[in-house]
Amino acid sequence: MASVGNGTEESGGGGGEEENFEDAYENIPVASKMDLKCALEECSMALNLFLNNKFSEALELLRPWSKDSMYHALGYSTILVMQAAMTFEQQDIQVGISTMKEALQTCQRFRKRSTVVESLSNLVSKQTVDQLSEEEMHAEICYAECLLQKAALTFVQDENMINFIKGGLKIRTSYQIYKECHQVLQMTQGNKSKNETYYQFEGGVNLGIGAFNLMLSLLPGRILRLLEFIGFSGNRELGLCQLREGASGSSLRAILCTFTLLVYHTYVSLILGTGEANLQEADSLLEPYLQKFPNGSIILFYAARIDILKGNFEKAQLRFQDCIAAQQEWKQIHHLCYWELMWCYTFQQDWLQAYRYADLLSKESRWSKAIYVFQKAAILCMLSEDDLKRTGEDVVSLFRQVDGLKQRIAGKSIPTEKFAVRKARRYACPQPVKLILPVLEMMYVWNGFAIVGKRADLTENLLVTIEKEETALQNETNHNEYYVDDACMLQLLKGLCLKHLGRLMQAELCFSKVIQSEKQIKYDSYLVPFTLYELGLLYKQQDEREKAIRYIETAKNNYKEYSMESRLHFRIHAALDSLKVSPASTP
């Protein structure tokens, strides 16, 4: 076996040499030969470099063996796929796909000689798992991981329906391999001769089974039932359990299990759920990595995001600045920080600072130009005339740009972009009809009221802003065609503020006004189903379970073809699941 001295201690997750650990990776020798144990050690070193913001050095360490070692191939291609996902540049996406193709070929060479999933399913059914070599077991897991990542990039490559189908088939194959590997793991649990490479295989299974089950469990029932028909299943508790097991281990995938759980707690449960994030678990998951990588930009980013969700916006702002200062190589991490900082300042109604970060995003990031420009224009609407003049921006012109900036992924428009485009159309005609508090409406789209609601002072300030706009709208002598829509939107936002301030009866009145105006709403048909859902959550908060279910079910069953319908269905699924009435999950 090649002797690559440094980093063996790191793969076990311990060691007291961490303060000198950066120096330990200077002048890393290239191994002369590579077996599984050595490959895992080198990949552990590369992972430490990556988490210490040394992205190019991590790639350089992995590159020499990326065509001859499955773990080097997986690590090298994963970093390039992450880069492609962050830049959204077509060239980077192309490089990511071609590198992942090569990684799949490398993994394939180490797999059991047979058809894709048959090899394992035959072995499992014949109970001859012992015939699988260590390398073959690891090759299956690495192949499944590569396949999943390649499928994800295939979806964003272009709008071709064939690519969409290809991507779906890759995901299904990947899922089947993980399921078979899980069976192999269960059948070998009693083996006494468990070594380090066995625990690495176990970590891979934890990650795959955990992530698949967790993500599939989020899907609304009708979609999940369709997927179950072709062999998928989503069990949230199993998913969380597997990921927690993987995160607590010392395998290479421990950090990936941790990141998957962090994404779930800090983003998914907010945007696609009811907004009840498990911040205690997020904190405890991140703490050891904050100790080990105090300047790691990805670690700092999550720490700042957790601060936001706790309502500690001022602390979060400082942490995001630390994250930006920590490295200059991957500017895309800066863009993630700009997005969060924009919302931090929006929650505080510091409009000039919020504009500054929206402006940076619209100029530097390719992720969603339509959203960034809409957001910038929406924030500018909140400035005084003098402040607006000083920016030199033209709000009407910005709103008119939004339509031309929308994009498609897997042949589909992005729902939030479609929403922004539709709202911005009020500025398309020669006499624009101004939007009412568009930045707060967009805050609701991202479930921002659930975050700012942690701070009574800021929620009170937002309520003042909404009520001021409500009075101005009522005092207008000539009501335009959007009057009822705008009035109802303000009632929804006002109700949310009142709910978070504990004034539940007043909140209920606001939500009821929207529902009673249903027949008068002309354009914003999304308002009624979303308000029914919010009213259901309000009743849930007051332990009126039956009433909560009735209103949420009404939102689910009685409305269709409105803006962000799929997002609401995700939230409804999460709400009904928390009320234990959804039959969507099967083990």
Side-chain angles (χ1 to χ4, degrees), residues 20 60 75 106 122 143 147 226 235 252 259 288 316 350 366 375-376 387 404 441 445 482 484 497 499 526:
N20 302 320
E60 284 310 309
T106 303
N122 287 340
Y143 189 84
L147 208 54
L226 183 66
N235 181 324
L252 275 174
F259 282 163
D350 185 340
R366 288 179 56 88
Q375 202 71 33
K376 182 160 89 162
D387 281 340
E441 188 175 13
V445 166
Y482 300 99
V484 176
C497 289
K499 175 186 128 174
Y526 85 93

Side-chain angles (χ1 to χ4, degrees), residues 319-328 334 337-338 341 357:
R319 268 211 164 123
F320 282 125
Q321 295 301 347
D322 289 342
C323 179
I324 291 165
Q327 60 86 34
Q328 299 302 313
H334 295 186
C337 294
Y338 297 163
L341 283 163
Y357 288 105

Side-chain angles (χ1 to χ4, degrees), residues 1 6-8 10-12 34-48 62 69-72 74 134 138 142 195-201 250-253:
M1 187 188 89
N6 316 322
T8 322
E10 296 301 332
S11 66
M34 191 64 60
D35 64 9
L36 187 59
K37 188 171 184 291
C38 184
L40 287 163
E41 285 171 8
E42 271 211 357
C43 288
S44 180
M45 292 162 66
L47 180 61
N48 283 327
L62 294 168
S69 154
M70 64 180 110
Y71 272 101
H72 286 72
L74 173 63
E134 273 189 335
H138 282 267
C142 291
N195 56 16
E196 177 58 28
T197 55
Y198 178 87
Y199 292 115
Q200 293 287 354
F201 174 75
S250 60
S251 78
L252 275 174
R253 271 89 170 196

Side-chain angles (χ1 to χ4, degrees), residues 289-536:
Y289 292 100
L290 266 173
Q291 296 293 323
K292 191 171 181 179
F293 305 102
N295 297 312
S297 55
I298 296 170
I299 306 300
L300 285 169
F301 176 82
Y302 277 114
R305 174 67 182 173
I306 291 167
D307 284 331
I308 283 187
L309 297 182
K310 289 177 179 174
N312 299 337
F313 304 136
E314 297 80 5
K315 187 180 174 186
Q317 281 154 210
L318 293 172
R319 268 211 164 123
F320 282 125
Q321 295 301 347
D322 289 342
C323 179
I324 291 165
Q327 60 86 34
Q328 299 302 313
E329 191 179 339
W330 275 23
K331 290 282 187 186
Q332 296 75 33
I333 295 173
H334 295 186
H335 299 156
L336 295 174
C337 294
Y338 297 163
W339 174 260
E340 295 296 340
L341 283 163
M342 175 189 76
W343 285 116
C344 260
Y345 288 115
T346 296
F347 297 150
Q348 296 168 87
Q349 296 193 71
D350 185 340
W351 302 118
L352 278 171
Q353 284 288 11
Y355 157 71
R356 180 185 162 214
Y357 288 105
D359 186 45
L360 280 168
L361 282 167
S362 69
K363 287 171 178 167
E364 292 183 18
S365 175
R366 288 179 56 88
W367 253 85
S368 176
K369 292 280 186 189
I371 291 291
Y372 300 146
V373 171
F374 181 89
Q375 202 71 33
K376 182 160 89 162
I379 291 165
L380 288 166
C381 290
M382 305 302 289
L383 293 179
S384 67
E385 279 190 35
D386 287 346
D387 281 340
L388 181 58
K389 271 180 193 164
R390 276 196 284 274
T391 65
E393 299 278 10
D394 179 347
V395 172
V396 174
S397 168
L398 286 170
F399 276 125
R400 284 175 177 170
Q401 288 173 35
V402 174
D403 193 17
L405 296 169
K406 66 179 185 287
Q407 55 191 343
R408 294 169 81 81
I409 293 179
K412 295 272 186 186
S413 301
I414 302 163
T416 38
E417 284 196 354
K418 273 167 80 174
F419 181 75
V421 165
R422 205 176 53 70
K423 298 299 288 187
R425 280 188 192 133
R426 276 167 62 161
Y427 290 83
C429 54
Q431 279 80 41
V433 182
K434 86 179 184 77
L435 287 166
I436 307 294
L437 300 183
V439 68
L440 298 192
E441 188 175 13
M442 197 53 102
M443 188 202 291
Y444 174 63
V445 166
W446 294 102
N447 217 356
F449 283 86
I451 301 171
V452 78
K454 303 267 174 71
R455 288 276 295 270
D457 56 337
L458 299 177
T459 306
E460 218 36 278
N461 295 343
L462 284 168
L463 183 60
V464 169
T465 300
I466 293 162
E467 287 180 332
K468 190 176 161 191
E469 204 65 46
E470 185 185 18
T471 305
L473 190 65
Q474 285 166 353
N475 291 342
E476 280 180 7
T477 45
N478 296 318
H479 293 161
N480 61 48
E481 60 185 313
Y482 300 99
Y483 175 75
V484 176
D485 297 54
D486 289 343
C488 286
M489 189 270 292
L490 289 174
Q491 287 301 314
L492 170 59
L493 302 187
K494 184 178 173 181
L496 289 163
C497 289
L498 291 164
K499 175 186 128 174
H500 289 294
L501 289 166
R503 290 148 67 178
L504 305 186
M505 199 178 286
Q506 287 170 275
E508 186 179 347
L509 279 172
C510 290
F511 294 150
S512 298
K513 279 182 191 173
V514 179
I515 294 159
Q516 286 157 14
S517 306
E518 179 175 358
K519 287 187 166 57
Q520 285 83 51
I521 292 172
K522 288 185 178 179
Y523 303 102
D524 290 326
S525 56
Y526 85 93
L527 286 168
V528 176
F530 271 85
T531 303
L532 283 162
Y533 162 77
E534 293 296 347
L535 194 50

